Amino acid sequence: MKDSKFFQNTKKGEIHELRSDLDNPQEDKKKDAVKRIIADMTVGKEMSVLFMDVIKCMNTSNLELKKLVYLYIVHYAKAQPELAILAVNTFVKDAASLNPLIRALAIRTMGCIRVQKITEYLCAPLQTCLKDQDPYVRKTAAFCVAKLFDINAQLVVEQGFIDTLRDLLSDSNPMVVSNAVAALSEIEETSAALGISIAGENPNERSGSFFTTSSISKLLAALNECTEWGQVFILTALAKYTPRDGREAENIAERVAPRLQHANSAVVLGAVKVLMRYMDIIQTPEVVKSLCRKMSPPLVTLLSREPEIQYVALRNINLILQKRPNILQNEMKVFFCKYNDPIYVK
């Protein structure tokens, strides 16, 4: 049967029936009961009365059941912070499981529970997972650091999680590198908004960015191997970095330029942003002209995509042409409106 059956109308005495099924030794019964609870929760019904009964189902080897229970706990943890603490021991135990999926699930869920009292219990398993032998666990733990920073920034600094994230920039797995970049970028933005100092001893770090010359070379190495959204994170970090001189800017631009041919529009626009930023630093006119020629076809291609992408592309092109008016000087025809263009594109 499909899971849509769980969204059908409920009947009287359902809470008692669900509580009975949650106590049933058969895992299929427990799973169906939690699915029904999640369905009721989704349509706005108050199901927090079953919090203790659902927590008891955490001690299971069934991954699907465990995911459902974790989803329920994340939803109600803020409303039931005292009861949510009762689940901490199981989270810590799961973070040390032999199954990497369960380890990652536990650490991700603990990071999503935005309860101050739980964060102190998260530190030890998070430190372990950041150095886990499985890359899936490491990349999940990297994002968890950013979530923890949003809840308790001072704790993240004191526990040395930021230094551990910097170490992950040298990880052998490109997905771990991209997640570490995303986490560090988010922490950088949050710390600036909160006015928190997270500068290290390195003078480049004190200048306002986590990304130094040595770390940038590692990001470029991971750029060709990670997923498209991982590439977006890395390109965003590269756009924030200020090269030491024109030669370094040329080298980075040369390695970023192939991203202009990517099928994902976000990757293309990320590469354009990096190149536009670095062309101000590059001192060789021939290199600048070459980069401008390379940027023209991808921008034209974006204008033949879906209307939503066209709109975003046009907003970016408007800014680009203010800085480099010659980039699309031979492509005027692509800016003519079509009869069926949406009004926001026209």
Side-chain angles (χ1 to χ4, degrees):
M1 279 191 174
K2 294 182 178 179
D3 288 347
S4 58
K5 66 178 181 178
F6 297 112
F7 289 89
Q8 296 173 358
N9 291 332
T10 56
K11 53 185 182 294
K12 290 183 179 180
E14 185 194 22
I15 296 296
H16 177 73
E17 182 182 331
L18 287 171
R19 185 170 280 129
S20 175
D21 286 344
L22 289 171
D23 289 334
N24 196 303
Q26 297 181 19
E27 289 200 338
D28 287 341
K29 286 279 188 181
K30 289 182 179 180
K31 193 192 305 179
D32 286 348
V34 178
K35 283 183 179 180
R36 176 47 91 44
I37 292 169
I38 297 293
D40 289 345
M41 186 179 78
T42 303
V43 297
K45 290 187 178 180
E46 179 58 48
M47 304 300 290
S48 61
V49 293
L50 293 169
F51 198 91
M52 287 301 300
D53 300 280
V54 174
I55 281 183
K56 293 177 184 176
C57 298
M58 289 180 71
N59 293 310
T60 175
S61 58
N62 188 303
L63 188 59
E64 183 182 0
L65 176 57
K66 195 177 285 287
K67 285 181 178 179
L68 291 168
V69 173
Y70 280 9
L71 179 62
Y72 174 89
I73 292 173
V74 168
H75 185 81
Y76 282 117
K78 190 172 286 188
Q80 306 270 4
E82 300 299 329
L83 293 178
I85 293 177
L86 299 176
V88 166
N89 287 336
T90 306
F91 282 130
V92 174
K93 179 183 175 183
D94 285 350
S97 170
L98 295 176
N99 188 337
L101 294 177
I102 293 179
R103 295 200 299 272
L105 179 63
I107 210 70
R108 180 192 296 120
T109 307
M110 288 184 77
C112 291
I113 298 177
R114 304 181 65 82
V115 177
Q116 282 281 357
K117 293 181 179 178
I118 289 183
T119 56
E120 58 190 71
Y121 298 100
L122 175 60
C123 292
L126 182 55
Q127 286 280 19
T128 304
C129 288
L130 284 168
K131 299 174 182 177
D132 196 278
Q133 61 181 0
D134 192 283
Y136 180 74
V137 179
R138 295 198 300 276
K139 81 180 186 68
T140 304
F143 264 138
C144 188
V145 173
K147 293 178 181 178
L148 181 58
F149 187 88
D150 197 35
I151 302 169
N152 192 334
Q154 200 60 41
L155 182 65
V156 171
V157 175
E158 291 173 357
Q159 294 289 328
F161 287 124
I162 293 176
D163 291 330
T164 308
L165 279 181
R166 289 194 186 101
D167 293 339
L168 288 181
L169 295 177
S170 305
D171 197 275
S172 59
N173 187 286
M175 276 306 301
V176 177
V177 174
S178 62
N179 279 25
V181 169
L184 285 169
S185 298
E186 186 173 332
I187 288 172
E188 194 171 16
E189 292 176 7
T190 305
S191 63
L194 297 176
I196 298 173
S197 176
I198 48 177
E201 297 178 358
N202 191 311
N204 291 321
E205 293 167 9
R206 290 198 297 271
S207 67
S209 178
F210 286 116
F211 307 105
T212 61
T213 303
S214 59
S215 63
I216 288 298
S217 62
K218 296 163 187 171
L219 301 191
L220 291 170
L223 186 61
N224 295 330
E225 300 179 30
C226 60
T227 65
E228 53 192 21
W229 295 113
Q231 293 179 37
V232 172
F233 291 137
I234 293 176
L235 289 169
T236 302
L238 289 172
K240 295 178 181 178
Y241 174 70
T242 302
R244 293 169 300 178
D245 51 39
R247 182 59 185 165
E248 185 185 10
E250 284 184 35
N251 291 336
I252 296 175
E254 184 181 348
R255 297 180 69 175
V256 168
R259 301 299 100 201
L260 292 171
Q261 309 302 321
H262 202 281
N264 187 302
S265 303
V267 175
V268 174
L269 289 175
V272 168
K273 183 178 180 180
V274 174
L275 296 179
M276 287 295 296
R277 174 109 158 70
Y278 286 10
M279 279 194 288
D280 292 336
I281 303 172
I282 296 173
Q283 299 174 349
T284 310
E286 291 77 13
V287 175
V288 174
K289 288 181 181 178
S290 175
L291 291 174
C292 288
R293 285 196 301 270
K294 290 179 180 178
M295 286 171 59
S296 178
L299 291 173
V300 172
T301 301
L302 289 176
L303 295 177
S304 63
R305 303 287 293 274
E306 296 82 356
E308 296 82 5
I309 294 178
Q310 287 183 40
Y311 175 76
V312 175
L314 285 168
R315 293 295 298 269
N316 282 272
I317 288 172
N318 182 34
L319 297 174
I320 291 168
L321 293 180
Q322 291 178 34
K323 194 79 175 284
R324 304 280 176 180
N326 296 328
I327 287 182
L328 295 173
Q329 61 182 352
N330 298 321
E331 303 291 347
M332 285 295 296
K333 62 181 180 181
V334 301
F335 295 104
F336 295 147
C337 294
K338 302 181 184 66
Y339 76 95
N340 59 347
D341 278 341
I343 187 67
Y344 56 86
V345 172
K346 292 179 180 180

